[in-house]
Amino acid sequence: MDITFGIAILIQVITGISANGFLFLFYTHKFYASHQLSSSDFILAHLALANIIVFLTGGVLNALEIWSLGNFLDDVGCKMVMYFYRVARGLSICNTCLLSVYQAITISPGTPRWARLKAKLSKFVLSSCLLFWIFNLLLGFGAPMFVAGPRNGSRDRITLDFKYCTEVPVSEATNLINAVVLCAWDLLFVGLMSAASGYMVFVLHRHHRQIQHLHAPGRPPEAMPEIRAAKRVIVLVVFYVLLYGRQTIMFSVLLNRKENSAWLVNSHVAFSITFSAVSPFLMISSDRRIRTLWKRESPLSNEDP
């Protein structure tokens, strides 16, 4: 059974790092080529970077452990890896939330109040990303307190994020405070992104005909950039919320079990990186610039008819 999860994690790590790396390099190239980057592209580049860090800290090392390729982390190594994993995980949820809020504001009605807000969007995005780094770097400091390096013969429970580190025994009150703070932080952004996605669905449904009249008469609604971008973000948010709900339920089950089964722990670890592995493909498939680039660079498109 460990081999099955090892294959699943390895596939996610390889495809996830490749896809996120491609996205990050694509947006970086766009910036250096034009010396400007749209706010949505900046958020997506930031999200891709966070996903890469998730894989480098969590995915790669978990794959090594499941495939029994050795554990080279000591106590300090485990604490550092856990810290950067928590920071990257936090950045991932924050940027997904920011992307949904940004897109909701973008497709909002052209009233004077919304127009003033749209004019400040670029500054809002830059300041938000900076604050996300600050807050997550500060919140991440609590993570190393709860983990230590591998201990031979130790009866300490293995952490639910990393199988190669062990939990440091702490009081139930400390565990409760840590869990409440982390859950409240996550639920805040899950709630915001859900509300923003619900608002986008409402706006698209209410103003579908008005938006259609702004474009060419024969152009299908699905081809409009506003609808494409909104649908992309809505799918991304729904996917994240479903995975977050699944992981929350599984985390609660594992916490309430006296002895955790290897199957449940492996399942929790495998699904913890699924969003980071799948989300870049949602971005790539819905970005016409990337599809155009692939068609132009494809050998088949250069063949003479």
Side-chain angles (χ1 to χ4, degrees):
M1 186 61 68
D2 280 352
I3 295 179
T4 302
F5 285 109
I7 294 174
I9 291 176
L10 190 60
I11 291 175
Q12 290 187 90
V13 168
I14 294 174
T15 58
I17 291 180
S18 301
N20 283 290
F22 170 79
L23 273 181
F24 184 75
L25 292 176
F26 175 78
Y27 294 124
T28 302
H29 172 73
K30 298 292 290 185
F31 174 75
Y32 280 106
S34 60
H35 299 287
Q36 61 182 1
L37 196 65
S38 68
S39 296
S40 60
D41 287 348
F42 181 79
I43 299 172
L44 291 174
H46 206 199
L47 178 60
L49 177 61
N51 288 337
I52 292 172
I53 300 175
V54 167
F55 284 115
L56 294 179
T57 54
V60 172
L61 297 179
N62 273 320
L64 292 177
E65 197 283 333
I66 288 182
W67 283 94
S68 301
L69 297 180
N71 188 350
F72 51 87
L73 291 179
D74 56 7
D75 187 67
V76 176
C78 274
K79 292 181 182 294
M80 290 183 62
V81 167
M82 175 65 80
Y83 173 74
F84 286 110
Y85 172 78
R86 288 291 177 86
V87 170
R89 180 185 175 278
L91 288 173
S92 180
I93 183 175
C94 288
N95 281 282
T96 304
C97 176
L98 179 61
L99 182 63
S100 62
V101 172
Y102 169 84
Q103 192 60 50
I105 296 175
T106 301
I107 67 170
S108 59
T111 60
R113 183 180 61 181
W114 284 112
R116 288 193 298 270
L117 187 58
K118 291 178 182 180
K120 302 177 181 178
L121 263 183
S122 59
K123 294 182 179 179
F124 168 75
V125 168
L126 290 174
S127 60
S128 295
C129 289
L130 178 61
L131 289 175
F132 290 159
W133 272 101
I134 294 174
F135 285 139
N136 282 288
L137 286 172
L138 292 176
L139 284 175
F141 275 118
M145 298 169 51
F146 299 90
V147 296
R151 301 173 183 175
N152 295 329
S154 173
R155 293 185 178 181
D156 294 337
R157 294 196 329 174
I158 302 299
T159 66
L160 301 181
D161 292 299
F162 301 107
K163 294 186 65 181
Y164 44 80
C165 298
T166 55
E167 280 186 324
V168 175
V170 294
S171 64
E172 293 185 3
T174 304
N175 268 331
L176 179 61
I177 293 174
N178 181 63
V180 169
V181 171
L182 292 178
C183 287
W185 178 257
D186 288 351
L187 287 175
L188 170 65
F189 289 98
V190 170
L192 284 174
M193 70 174 71
S194 300
S197 297
Y199 175 74
M200 281 188 284
V201 173
F202 171 76
V203 170
L204 290 176
H205 177 73
R206 184 177 179 180
H207 298 286
H208 178 73
R209 293 183 179 178
Q210 290 90 331
I211 295 176
Q212 187 175 15
H213 290 318
L214 294 176
H215 295 77
R219 193 175 187 182
E222 291 77 7
M224 299 176 187
E226 300 93 340
I227 294 182
R228 289 201 316 272
K231 285 183 176 181
R232 174 184 65 182
V233 175
I234 291 172
V235 171
L236 187 69
V237 170
V238 170
F239 181 61
Y240 185 92
V241 171
L242 290 177
L243 277 179
Y244 179 81
R246 189 266 175 202
Q247 289 298 89
T248 301
I249 294 173
M250 180 60 67
F251 187 76
S252 301
V253 170
L254 291 172
L255 283 181
N256 289 290
R257 290 175 61 94
K258 294 183 178 180
E259 294 183 2
N260 293 329
S261 69
W263 190 91
L264 291 177
V265 173
N266 288 336
S267 174
H268 180 78
V269 170
F271 276 99
S272 66
I273 58 175
T274 299
F275 176 79
S276 297
V278 176
S279 59
F281 292 99
L282 294 176
M283 298 299 101
I284 291 173
S285 64
S286 60
D287 195 323
R288 281 191 170 183
R289 296 169 301 176
I290 297 178
R291 296 202 302 268
T292 301
L293 175 65
W294 282 354
K295 289 180 181 179
R296 187 170 64 245
E297 299 296 333
S298 174
L300 294 178
S301 62
N302 296 326
E303 292 182 356
D304 294 330

